[in-house]
Amino acid sequence: MVQPFKAAIRGIGSYVPEKVLKNSDLEKMVDTSDEWITARTGIKERHIAAKGQSASDLGVQAALKALKNASLAPADLDLVIVATITPDMPFPSTACAVQHKIGAQCGAFDLAAACSGFPYALAVANGFIGAGIYRHILVVGSEVLSGFIDWTDRSTCVLFGDGAGAVVVSRSEGPHGIISTYLGSDGSQGSLLQIPGGGSVYPPSEETLKNKMHYLKMQGSEVFKVAVKTMELAVKEVLAKAGLDLSDVACLIPHQANMRILQAVAERLEFPMEKIFINVERYGNMSSASTVVALDEAAKTGKIRKGDHVVLVAFGGGLTWASTLIRW
Ligand code: UT7
């Protein structure tokens, strides 16, 4: 479908908390080793939020940078969307907290698509702008996963980190902007990756606390297999929608969960690793913040240039998967 208006990323910014947790620190916390973590995941370190630093706090830092980069003021925004699975609280939304803290006056809501949250939110923003409803939308991906990790479970605690990224998506003229988006889900496999307690199925209770149901649970090797398949599918689908193919893509910005997943996706797509932006070694998996922080770093370090076709692709809890094709 041809949209009446085009949406483009007008500004971008990211923020990670100061504290760095290295693999050598984790060796002192659980039965693991730098060697295992590096070989099985590619992760060397991750950032951890300070006590009291919430998802909206991280999101605000990223949002202010994105607004500055876009040369816009909070008052220019028509909507705030925050993708997060680690919200400040069940309600009100983290997006409302961001709206208030930056001083915007507009609608605000959260979007829960786990690690696919950022490309999901970009698709929503693209729809609002494309239909001519709004001109400037702040899209944030922000996570404080450290608060939802069982720090005694070596199978998950080595994998995740905290961080935030933000973009301002604006109505634009000319050839640059979002070309196509693709979203997928499979709720039948939701139990592979979840925080089971604290919602309406298992409201918080002594029982849920005792059974550690408020912590993230993952069946890693099962998730690994679906991640590789669906990321391959999502890249192909978003390109097919635009009538382009992989040879048109200058840079692939994938969700940063595991280096081996990225290598497997590259192999299946027959896409060169040098064209895949990777920063998992410095941040681990930041869920909805991963793709936007990677996009920010790729743009700032000249890995993507004006006119390049860039594909964002993510996979996560839900299960969900999503991709975005952008002409930068
Ligand atoms: O962002 C959303 C999506 N998430 C992902 O995409 C994550 C996908 N999954 C993965 O990245 C990988 O499955 C993991 C990194 C989580 C695990 O790697 P794996 O190669 O699938 O390992 P495994 O779970 O099959 O475990 C292999 C062994 C086990 O020992 P045994 O049973 O073979 O004796 C684990 O107990 O590795 C052991 N192990 C560890 N050893 C040292 C698991 N975690 C650790 C650890 N340190 N931290």
Short mmCIF file of all heavy atoms in Angstrom, two decimals, residues 10 15 43 54 63 86 100 108 128 136 144 176 182 201 204 248 263 266 287 293 297 309 312:
data_model
loop_
_atom_site.label_atom_id
_atom_site.label_comp_id
_atom_site.label_asym_id
_atom_site.label_seq_id
_atom_site.Cartn_x
_atom_site.Cartn_y
_atom_site.Cartn_z
N ARG A 10 14.55 11.41 11.80
CA ARG A 10 15.12 12.75 11.71
C ARG A 10 16.21 12.98 12.76
O ARG A 10 17.09 13.82 12.58
CB ARG A 10 13.97 13.75 11.89
CG ARG A 10 14.40 15.19 11.91
CD ARG A 10 13.20 16.10 11.86
NE ARG A 10 13.58 17.45 12.24
CZ ARG A 10 13.02 18.55 11.77
NH1 ARG A 10 12.03 18.45 10.90
NH2 ARG A 10 13.42 19.74 12.16
N TYR A 15 21.74 5.93 25.13
CA TYR A 15 22.33 6.13 26.46
C TYR A 15 22.46 4.77 27.15
O TYR A 15 21.52 3.98 27.14
CB TYR A 15 21.43 7.04 27.30
CG TYR A 15 21.85 7.11 28.75
CD1 TYR A 15 22.89 7.95 29.15
CD2 TYR A 15 21.23 6.32 29.71
CE1 TYR A 15 23.30 7.99 30.48
CE2 TYR A 15 21.63 6.36 31.04
CZ TYR A 15 22.66 7.20 31.41
OH TYR A 15 23.07 7.23 32.72
N ILE A 43 29.64 -12.10 24.15
CA ILE A 43 29.52 -10.96 25.09
C ILE A 43 30.76 -10.88 25.99
O ILE A 43 31.22 -11.89 26.52
CB ILE A 43 28.24 -11.10 25.96
CG1 ILE A 43 26.99 -11.19 25.07
CG2 ILE A 43 28.13 -9.92 26.95
CD1 ILE A 43 25.73 -11.68 25.81
N SER A 54 15.45 4.10 36.44
CA SER A 54 14.37 3.31 35.84
C SER A 54 14.44 3.35 34.31
O SER A 54 15.24 4.10 33.73
CB SER A 54 13.02 3.89 36.29
OG SER A 54 12.85 5.16 35.69
N ALA A 63 16.21 10.09 24.65
CA ALA A 63 15.23 10.94 23.95
C ALA A 63 15.76 12.36 23.78
O ALA A 63 15.60 12.97 22.72
CB ALA A 63 13.92 10.95 24.73
N THR A 86 10.48 -3.86 30.59
CA THR A 86 10.87 -3.60 31.97
C THR A 86 10.38 -2.20 32.35
O THR A 86 11.18 -1.32 32.65
CB THR A 86 12.41 -3.70 32.13
OG1 THR A 86 13.04 -2.83 31.18
CG2 THR A 86 12.89 -5.12 31.90
N HIS A 100 6.31 13.25 30.50
CA HIS A 100 6.33 14.24 31.59
C HIS A 100 7.76 14.76 31.84
O HIS A 100 7.98 15.96 31.93
CB HIS A 100 5.77 13.60 32.86
CG HIS A 100 5.97 14.42 34.08
ND1 HIS A 100 5.40 15.67 34.24
CD2 HIS A 100 6.72 14.20 35.20
CE1 HIS A 100 5.76 16.17 35.41
NE2 HIS A 100 6.57 15.31 36.01
N ALA A 108 0.83 9.37 24.67
CA ALA A 108 1.98 8.52 25.02
C ALA A 108 1.48 7.13 25.37
O ALA A 108 0.49 7.00 26.09
CB ALA A 108 2.74 9.12 26.20
N PHE A 128 1.30 6.00 11.61
CA PHE A 128 0.70 7.29 12.01
C PHE A 128 1.18 8.43 11.09
O PHE A 128 0.40 9.30 10.70
CB PHE A 128 1.08 7.64 13.45
CG PHE A 128 0.14 7.07 14.48
CD1 PHE A 128 0.60 6.18 15.45
CD2 PHE A 128 -1.19 7.45 14.52
CE1 PHE A 128 -0.25 5.67 16.42
CE2 PHE A 128 -2.06 6.94 15.49
CZ PHE A 128 -1.58 6.04 16.44
N HIS A 136 5.58 14.41 14.07
CA HIS A 136 6.82 14.06 14.78
C HIS A 136 6.50 13.09 15.92
O HIS A 136 5.73 13.44 16.84
CB HIS A 136 7.48 15.30 15.38
CG HIS A 136 7.80 16.36 14.38
ND1 HIS A 136 8.71 16.17 13.37
CD2 HIS A 136 7.33 17.64 14.25
CE1 HIS A 136 8.80 17.28 12.64
NE2 HIS A 136 7.96 18.18 13.15
N VAL A 144 15.61 -1.84 31.68
CA VAL A 144 16.43 -2.09 32.87
C VAL A 144 16.22 -3.57 33.20
O VAL A 144 15.52 -3.93 34.15
CB VAL A 144 16.07 -1.15 34.03
CG1 VAL A 144 16.96 -1.44 35.24
CG2 VAL A 144 16.23 0.31 33.61
N HIS A 176 14.49 9.72 1.16
CA HIS A 176 14.96 9.07 2.39
C HIS A 176 13.80 8.70 3.31
O HIS A 176 12.78 9.37 3.32
CB HIS A 176 15.93 10.00 3.13
CG HIS A 176 17.07 10.41 2.27
ND1 HIS A 176 18.15 9.59 2.03
CD2 HIS A 176 17.26 11.52 1.52
CE1 HIS A 176 18.96 10.19 1.18
NE2 HIS A 176 18.44 11.37 0.85
N TYR A 182 7.86 -5.03 8.49
CA TYR A 182 7.31 -6.38 8.53
C TYR A 182 7.23 -6.83 9.99
O TYR A 182 8.20 -6.67 10.74
CB TYR A 182 8.20 -7.34 7.72
CG TYR A 182 7.84 -8.79 7.88
CD1 TYR A 182 6.72 -9.32 7.25
CD2 TYR A 182 8.60 -9.62 8.70
CE1 TYR A 182 6.38 -10.66 7.42
CE2 TYR A 182 8.26 -10.96 8.87
CZ TYR A 182 7.15 -11.47 8.23
OH TYR A 182 6.80 -12.77 8.40
N VAL A 201 -2.21 -13.55 35.22
CA VAL A 201 -2.21 -15.02 35.33
C VAL A 201 -1.66 -15.43 36.70
O VAL A 201 -2.26 -16.24 37.40
CB VAL A 201 -1.37 -15.66 34.20
CG1 VAL A 201 -1.29 -17.17 34.39
CG2 VAL A 201 -1.97 -15.35 32.83
N PRO A 204 1.30 -10.94 41.70
CA PRO A 204 2.37 -11.03 42.68
C PRO A 204 1.86 -11.57 44.01
O PRO A 204 0.82 -11.14 44.50
CB PRO A 204 2.85 -9.58 42.84
CG PRO A 204 2.20 -8.80 41.76
CD PRO A 204 1.10 -9.60 41.17
N ASP A 248 21.14 -5.09 -2.37
CA ASP A 248 20.87 -3.65 -2.24
C ASP A 248 21.18 -3.13 -0.83
O ASP A 248 21.14 -1.92 -0.59
CB ASP A 248 19.40 -3.35 -2.54
CG ASP A 248 19.01 -3.71 -3.97
OD1 ASP A 248 19.70 -3.23 -4.88
OD2 ASP A 248 18.05 -4.48 -4.16
N GLN A 263 26.00 -14.99 13.26
CA GLN A 263 26.77 -15.76 12.28
C GLN A 263 25.87 -16.72 11.51
O GLN A 263 25.99 -16.85 10.29
CB GLN A 263 27.89 -16.55 12.99
CG GLN A 263 29.04 -15.65 13.39
CD GLN A 263 29.94 -16.27 14.47
OE1 GLN A 263 29.54 -17.20 15.16
NE2 GLN A 263 31.14 -15.73 14.61
N ALA A 266 23.73 -14.76 9.04
CA ALA A 266 24.56 -14.34 7.90
C ALA A 266 24.75 -15.51 6.94
O ALA A 266 24.64 -15.36 5.71
CB ALA A 266 25.90 -13.82 8.40
N SER A 287 17.42 -6.14 24.91
CA SER A 287 16.04 -6.29 24.45
C SER A 287 15.65 -5.14 23.52
O SER A 287 16.34 -4.92 22.52
CB SER A 287 15.09 -6.41 25.65
OG SER A 287 13.81 -6.81 25.21
N VAL A 293 20.15 1.21 19.75
CA VAL A 293 21.51 1.60 20.15
C VAL A 293 22.49 1.24 19.03
O VAL A 293 23.37 2.03 18.67
CB VAL A 293 21.92 0.92 21.48
CG1 VAL A 293 23.39 1.13 21.79
CG2 VAL A 293 21.07 1.45 22.64
N GLU A 297 24.89 3.81 16.89
CA GLU A 297 26.35 3.65 16.79
C GLU A 297 26.79 3.49 15.33
O GLU A 297 27.82 4.01 14.92
CB GLU A 297 26.82 2.44 17.61
CG GLU A 297 26.67 2.70 19.10
CD GLU A 297 27.45 1.70 19.96
OE1 GLU A 297 27.78 0.61 19.47
OE2 GLU A 297 27.71 2.04 21.13
N HIS A 309 20.72 1.69 1.91
CA HIS A 309 19.59 0.88 2.37
C HIS A 309 20.04 0.10 3.61
O HIS A 309 21.04 -0.61 3.57
CB HIS A 309 19.13 -0.11 1.29
CG HIS A 309 18.39 0.56 0.18
ND1 HIS A 309 18.82 0.58 -1.13
CD2 HIS A 309 17.21 1.24 0.20
CE1 HIS A 309 17.96 1.25 -1.86
NE2 HIS A 309 16.97 1.67 -1.09
N LEU A 312 16.83 -3.20 9.65
CA LEU A 312 16.80 -3.54 11.07
C LEU A 312 16.03 -4.84 11.22
O LEU A 312 14.96 -4.97 10.61
CB LEU A 312 16.00 -2.46 11.83
CG LEU A 312 16.73 -1.40 12.61
CD1 LEU A 312 17.54 -0.54 11.68
CD2 LEU A 312 15.75 -0.54 13.37
#
